[in-house]
Amino acid sequence: MLSENRDPDRPAHPGGFLTSEAGKSDHRRAEHCVDFSVSVVLPAGGTGERTGLQTPKQYCSFLGRPLISYTVQAFERVSWIQSIVVVVAKESMDLMMDVIQRFQHRKVRVVQGGLTRHRSIWNGVLALGGEGEGESAAADRPKVVIIHDAVRPFVEEDFLYKIAMAAKEQGASGAIRPLVSTVIATTAEGYLDHSLERAKYRASEMPQGFTYDVIHQAYQRCTESDFEFGTECLHLALQYCGTNAKLIQGPPTLWKVTYKRDLAAAESMIKDSLSQSACIITGGSAHAVSLAAALQKAVGALNMELEVIPDLMGESSSYLLKEWNFIQVSVDCSCLSEVETLLRDLEAANRALLHPLVVIWVHLSCADEPSISGRKVEPDGIMELASASKLRNILLYGIQLRQSKDTERWERSVLKVAEISSTLIRERSPALVGQLLQA
C-alpha cells in the first residue's frame, strides 16, 4: 500500500486529545448536531517501511495499546459517527480483529485492503455502500464518508464536524496545513531548477470528507494508473466528478506517525494528555471538601485540572466514562471500603480498558478528632487491593495525610499532596503501586 511522502510539522501538544467520554461530547463543549449519516474509512494496510520496524506502525503499542486503537477511539467517541471501516492487509486481518476484541471497539468493521492506497480506500467505500449485499444494505449507505489515516490519532470532534458539514454542502472537503519548508524542483543533474512561493501553497492532510455519491463515482471512473500511483482523494473528486473541495485549515495535531521517532513522540503526548486531569471524590465530608478546595488551588501551578464531586451518583456518574484519573479522600477511616467501591464502579464501566488509569487514595486524619485520628492504615490492605487492580489496568496509590491546625504547616502538606499526586498521575510508576506515601 502506497503512503504519502509528506513529513508534516509536529505539534507541541495534542490539545484536547482523549478528553471526551466515549460516545458523547465532552462536557466542556457544545454538542454538535448532525442530522445526516456519517461513516469513516481508515486505510491501515501500510507496511511502515519508513519506521524501520518489523511491525507495521499502526500495530505498534504504547501504554499497553496499539496505535490504531487510539485512532479508532477518536472516532468511536463521536456520537454522530455511525460506523468505521478499517481496511487492512490480508495478513493483518486476524491481528486487527484481536485488537477490536481486546479493546471492545464498537462501530468497527474490518475489510481486506488492496495493494495500493487507492485500492484499499475503494474497498472501504464499497463496504460502506453494501455492494453485493442487497437493497437493504445499500439503503444504509452513509450520506458523508470521512477518510482518515489510521496513524493520525490526534483528531478532534470539532474539526471532524467542520469536515463533515463542508463535505455535505460542497461534495468534498479536506484538511490543509501551512507548508513548513520551501518546496523546490531539481534538474536531472541534481541542481536547483526553481522553488515555489511557500505562501501560495498548503500541505494536504487528513481527514477528508466526501458525499458517498462523489467518492463512489470518482473511484468508478478513475484509471488503473490512478489506482496504482495516486494518493490524493480530493484530486479524484475534482478530476472525475468536477467537485471542488472546500479546504479547511486544520490544527497542528493532525500530524501523521511516519518515522520511528514519531512513535515515541506520540506516546509522550498521549501520556501527557492523560495526566492533565483528575476528579477528587470527597464523600461529602466537610474536611474532605476543604482539602479538595486547597488541592484545586495548589495544582493550578502544576498544569493539571482538578474537579471536585461528592460521589459518582446521578450526573456525576458521567465521570466514570471520561478520560479522568481519580483521587478518593477518606476521612479518619482506615478501611478501604470507599476506594473499593470506586474500583468496582470503574471496572463495571470498563473505564480502564483502553489505557492505564490512576486512582489515588488520600487518607486524611483530622487533628480535632483525637479519639480515632491516631489510627494508622494497614499497608498490607492497600497493597493487596492494588495488586488486584493492576491486573485490571488500574494503578492504585495511597497518600496518608494528617491535618494540622498550624496554617503554614497545613499549606505545606497540601502542596506536597498536590505534587505527589501530579507525579503519580504523570509518571504512572509501577514500582510505587500499592505504596502508602506520607505527606
Side-chain angles (χ1 to χ4, degrees):
M1 181 173 176
L2 298 181
S3 302
E4 299 168 74
N5 293 320
R6 297 186 302 274
D7 184 12
D9 53 315
R10 297 293 184 254
H13 190 272
F17 176 67
L18 294 179
T19 58
S20 301
E21 61 185 84
K24 299 181 181 180
S25 295
D26 187 86
H27 72 291
R28 288 164 290 185
R29 300 177 186 172
E31 185 165 349
H32 295 299
C33 179
V34 178
D35 59 358
F36 53 91
S37 57
V38 181
S39 292
V40 178
V41 172
L42 293 179
T47 59
E49 292 179 0
R50 283 176 285 181
T51 61
L53 301 172
Q54 290 186 339
T55 301
K57 57 198 172 190
Q58 60 268 30
Y59 302 112
C60 289
S61 294
F62 39 83
L63 297 178
R65 181 178 168 198
L67 175 62
I68 192 170
S69 181
Y70 287 100
T71 307
V72 169
Q73 188 209 7
F75 289 95
E76 277 191 329
R77 66 188 184 187
V78 178
S79 61
W80 44 268
I81 289 179
Q82 67 178 20
S83 63
I84 303 164
V85 171
V86 181
V87 190
V88 304
K90 180 180 180 180
E91 59 271 19
S92 300
M93 291 285 287
D94 291 341
L95 178 58
M96 189 63 218
M97 293 301 297
D98 180 64
V99 170
I100 292 172
Q101 183 176 5
R102 278 194 296 133
F103 298 100
Q104 297 184 15
H105 286 303
R106 304 163 288 109
K107 306 182 182 179
V108 180
R109 178 181 177 185
V110 181
V111 301
Q112 185 175 319
L115 297 177
T116 65
R117 176 179 176 80
H118 274 323
R119 294 183 194 280
S120 290
I121 294 175
W122 179 221
N123 284 357
V125 171
L126 290 175
L128 286 176
E131 301 288 335
E133 297 181 17
E135 294 183 4
S136 59
D140 293 332
R141 64 182 50 156
K143 174 66 176 179
V144 167
V145 178
I146 293 177
I147 299 172
H148 191 67
D149 290 321
V151 290
R152 294 182 191 256
F154 306 116
V155 60
E156 285 296 320
E157 179 178 354
D158 287 344
F159 191 71
L160 291 173
Y161 176 78
K162 293 177 182 178
I163 290 291
M165 295 303 294
K168 183 195 177 192
E169 294 171 3
Q170 302 294 327
S173 63
I176 56 172
R177 289 287 301 158
L179 291 174
V180 295
S181 299
T182 300
V183 179
I184 63 173
T186 62
T187 65
E189 295 77 21
Y191 295 98
L192 176 66
D193 187 317
H194 65 277
S195 63
L196 300 180
E197 187 177 341
R198 189 171 61 183
K200 292 184 177 180
Y201 296 88
R202 295 293 182 269
S204 178
E205 305 286 356
M206 290 289 176
Q208 295 177 354
F210 306 85
T211 59
Y212 181 86
D213 291 340
V214 165
I215 192 63
H216 186 272
Q217 186 178 94
Y219 275 117
Q220 275 189 323
R221 295 178 176 179
C222 73
T223 66
E224 285 298 311
S225 178
D226 293 321
F227 274 122
E228 194 67 27
F229 303 108
T231 59
E232 183 55 76
C233 299
L234 297 179
H235 177 70
L236 296 183
L238 178 61
Q239 183 174 356
Y240 296 109
C241 301
T243 302
N244 201 348
K246 172 66 175 177
L247 302 179
I248 306 171
Q249 180 155 316
T253 53
L254 294 178
W255 65 281
K256 179 181 179 181
V257 174
T258 303
Y259 302 103
K260 186 176 181 179
R261 66 177 182 270
D262 297 333
L263 291 168
E267 179 176 10
S268 176
M269 288 188 292
I270 290 173
K271 193 173 183 180
D272 184 49
S273 180
L274 292 175
S275 55
Q276 290 186 350
S277 56
C279 178
I280 185 167
I281 303 173
T282 65
S285 163
H287 290 296
V289 171
S290 178
L291 172 60
L295 283 173
Q296 272 188 314
K297 183 178 180 180
V299 300
L302 301 175
N303 193 30
M304 182 177 172
E305 183 178 358
L306 186 65
E307 293 199 4
V308 180
I309 58 174
D311 50 46
L312 287 168
M313 306 294 289
E315 292 184 0
S316 295
S317 63
S318 64
Y319 282 92
L320 289 169
L321 299 175
K322 299 180 189 295
E323 309 296 337
W324 291 61
N325 303 286
F326 291 88
I327 300 174
Q328 172 74 58
V329 178
S330 298
V331 181
D332 289 312
C333 177
S334 62
C335 67
L336 289 163
S337 59
E338 290 176 322
V339 76
E340 286 175 337
T341 299
L342 171 60
L343 293 173
R344 285 197 297 269
D345 290 341
L346 292 171
E347 183 179 9
N350 280 334
R351 173 60 178 78
L353 185 68
L354 298 176
H355 50 72
L357 167 69
V358 171
V359 172
I360 300 173
W361 181 50
V362 177
H363 175 249
L364 175 63
S365 288
C366 298
D368 58 352
E369 298 181 15
S371 60
I372 57 176
S373 63
R375 189 167 56 186
K376 294 184 178 179
V377 179
E378 293 295 332
D380 290 346
I382 188 172
M383 183 63 76
E384 182 179 344
L385 186 58
S387 297
S389 300
K390 190 176 179 182
L391 297 176
R392 302 194 296 271
N393 213 22
I394 299 175
L395 307 180
L396 174 63
Y397 307 94
I399 301 176
Q400 192 159 23
L401 172 66
R402 182 178 176 84
Q403 191 169 32
S404 173
K405 293 183 178 181
D406 184 325
T407 302
E408 186 176 342
R409 183 176 179 181
W410 172 244
E411 289 178 350
R412 288 199 304 268
S413 296
V414 170
L415 180 58
K416 187 175 181 181
V417 171
E419 291 173 343
I420 292 174
S421 299
S422 177
T423 299
L424 291 174
I425 292 173
R426 183 177 63 255
E427 300 299 331
R428 300 168 186 262
S429 171
L432 293 176
V433 169
Q435 297 295 312
L436 189 61
L437 307 173
Q438 301 296 317

